[in-house]
Amino acid sequence: MPLANPLAPTPRRVIESSPISDTQLMRASLRRDVARHPNDFIVFATEAGALEFFAQHRASVEVETDPRMIERGVLGYSQGKTVVVVPWLTTARF
């Protein structure tokens, strides 16, 4: 079996790490929107915080019902603002 030529260029492999999900992309987009237009949103770090807000403001909130929107962090609307959950850290990195 012949040895490989050490001067020949080695083929490059493109190794794709785990693909980013649509939900992750949408949450990143939501973070950018919140940063650009903070007065358009009521932001919570956890869903529990948002649900507590809904419980305290029942008369002035409209709950989002589309599962895709909820999955992306939009839980509802209140007084012309969008109620969103934007976790500080969505994935652990080691």
Side-chain angles (χ1 to χ4, degrees), residues 8-59:
T10 57
R12 295 184 180 249
R13 282 194 222 170
V14 176
I15 300 174
E16 184 177 330
S17 61
S18 62
I20 297 174
S21 73
D22 181 52
T23 299
Q24 289 171 313
L25 291 173
M26 292 306 295
R27 285 193 182 250
S29 175
L30 181 58
R31 273 194 191 86
R32 286 189 300 273
D33 289 345
V34 168
R36 289 181 185 141
H37 309 285
N39 294 328
D40 293 343
F41 297 92
I42 300 171
V43 182
F44 294 91
T46 66
E47 186 174 343
L51 296 177
E52 180 66 25
F53 174 82
F54 285 167
Q56 292 175 1
H57 299 89
R58 285 188 192 123

Side-chain angles (χ1 to χ4, degrees), residues 42 53-63 76-79 83:
I42 300 171
F53 174 82
F54 285 167
Q56 292 175 1
H57 299 89
R58 285 188 192 123
S60 66
V61 297
E62 179 184 340
V63 177
Y77 312 90
S78 179
Q79 300 176 1
V83 178

